[in-house]
């Protein structure tokens, strides 16, 4: 039985407001997260992802409050990430109303936390948030392959991204939120080469993120190996609707919810 492709909206939350920029810079306000979440629920979005982009201790408290208010209003799966480092962090977010929890920097710092979270709560709650850049030489030219980044894509880590995704899956990650830092906010399309490379390395679901700009961008991402497609600013600012994206997928013979 084939599994329907999911369409996901991503809310980058900073101090209780949704923000969006290009390549994680020049952030602009996109609205109240609970209002946006309620709107997406009405539009038929399949899931919501909240990313606390500052994840300071103060920001984290804000996030618990926002997650709680959102969970009271909408009844679709809610993934929350940003600043997650321990099993206790996951526990608190699940108690606040999250259905799944994303982890990136914390897992890179201590990979065994993936297994600890999966053992305690089950792989289905654990989403590896992989912020990936194409490897570049010092002069900025492409060097081939992909590397991991942390801190919202600002800090490159000398770690092969495809190998890391495969390792995380072995440790117990239930899903990979695959963020192309190069494509983020550009609206020029998903990084299909990146999606295909990770698809070859793992059997768990992949969420394609970064680069959505037109309805034509979503089908190629699924054909490259994504199980779900995620967008942010094109939804927030009304450039695309959830219905338009699902219609484009259906028209190409892709099953959607």
């Amino acid at each position: 039985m084939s599994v329907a492709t999911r369409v996901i909206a991503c809310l980058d939350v900073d101090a209780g407001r949704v923000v969006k920029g290009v390549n994680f810079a020049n952030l602009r306000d996109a609205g109240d997260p609970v209002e946006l979440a309620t709107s997406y629920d009405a539009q038929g979005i399949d899931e919501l992802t909240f990313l606390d982009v500052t994840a300071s201790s103060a920001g984290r408290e804000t996030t618990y409050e926002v997650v709680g208010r959102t969970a009271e209003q909408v009844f679709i799966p809610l993934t929350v990430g940003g600043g997650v480092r321990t099993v206790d962090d996951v526990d608190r977010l699940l108690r606040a109303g999250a259905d799944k929890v994303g982890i990136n920097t914390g897992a890179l710092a201590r990979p065994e936390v993936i297994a600890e979270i999966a053992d305690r709560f089950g792989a289905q709650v654990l989403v590896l948030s992989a912020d990936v850049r194409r490897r570049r030489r010092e002069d900025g030219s492409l060097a081939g392959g992909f590397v991991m980044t942390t801190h919202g894509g600002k800090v490159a880590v000398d770690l092969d991204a495809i190998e890391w995704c495969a390792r995380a899956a072995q440790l117990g990650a239930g899903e990979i939120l695959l963020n192309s830092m190069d494509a983020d906010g550009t609206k020029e399309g998903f990084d299909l080469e990146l999606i295909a490379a990770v698809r070859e390395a793992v059997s768990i679901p992949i969420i394609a993120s970064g680069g959505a700009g037109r309805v034509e961008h979503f089908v190629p991402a699924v054909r490259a190996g994504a199980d779900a497609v995620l967008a942010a600013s094109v939804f927030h600012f009304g450039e695309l609707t959830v219905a338009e994206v699902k219609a484009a997928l259906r028209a190409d013979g892709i099953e959607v919810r």
Side-chain angles (χ1 to χ4, degrees):
M1 189 183 88
S2 63
V3 178
T5 297
R6 291 165 290 149
V7 178
I8 301 172
C10 182
L11 307 179
D12 293 324
V13 179
D14 180 13
R17 297 290 292 179
V18 177
V19 294
K20 193 58 196 165
V22 177
N23 304 127
F24 278 61
N26 302 316
L27 300 178
R28 59 178 171 151
D29 188 277
D32 175 73
V34 182
E35 286 178 15
L36 276 170
T38 306
S39 168
Y40 287 134
D41 192 15
Q43 286 184 50
I45 203 80
D46 298 312
E47 294 186 17
L48 284 169
T49 295
F50 268 49
L51 296 179
D52 179 347
V53 295
T54 45
S56 65
S57 56
R60 171 56 68 212
E61 289 304 322
T62 304
T63 300
Y64 290 127
E65 188 262 334
V66 170
V67 169
R69 285 195 293 130
T70 304
E72 287 172 6
Q73 297 291 328
V74 303
F75 303 98
I76 48 179
L78 179 62
T79 300
V80 183
V84 174
R85 288 181 172 78
T86 67
V87 168
D88 288 342
D89 291 337
V90 176
D91 187 55
R92 282 195 69 186
L93 284 169
L94 294 176
R95 289 177 189 278
D99 298 286
K100 297 187 274 190
V101 175
I103 186 169
N104 174 17
T105 305
L108 285 164
R110 205 171 66 84
E112 53 269 30
V113 76
I114 296 172
E116 292 167 7
I117 294 166
D119 287 347
R120 169 109 175 246
F121 304 106
Q124 77 282 350
V125 307
L126 180 55
V127 179
L128 179 80
S129 185
D131 291 346
V132 180
R133 280 196 192 282
R134 287 175 176 267
R135 191 184 294 274
R136 294 181 182 274
R137 300 183 182 90
E138 286 187 14
D139 64 3
S141 62
L142 291 173
F146 301 92
V147 294
M148 292 301 303
T149 70
T150 62
H151 301 84
K154 295 182 180 68
V155 181
V157 180
D158 189 20
L159 175 65
D160 182 273
I162 312 306
E163 291 176 8
W164 170 240
C165 288
R167 185 179 177 202
Q170 289 171 343
L171 285 167
E175 192 166 37
I176 294 173
L177 174 54
L178 187 60
N179 306 308
S180 168
M181 295 292 102
D182 301 300
D184 175 73
T186 64
K187 301 181 188 175
E188 292 174 1
F190 295 95
D191 190 328
L192 304 180
E193 186 185 340
L194 172 61
I195 296 166
V198 176
R199 174 77 290 156
E200 202 170 300
V202 305
S203 58
I204 60 175
I206 295 170
I207 302 165
S209 170
R214 303 195 305 273
V215 288
E216 305 92 89
H217 290 153
F218 293 88
V219 167
V222 177
R223 296 295 181 209
D227 301 273
V229 284
L230 178 148
S233 59
V234 288
F235 286 155
H236 302 340
F237 300 114
E239 295 162 49
L240 292 178
T241 67
V242 175
E244 286 170 341
V245 172
K246 289 193 172 186
L249 293 168
R250 276 195 201 96
D252 205 75
I254 294 167
E255 185 184 346
V256 294
R257 296 183 181 180

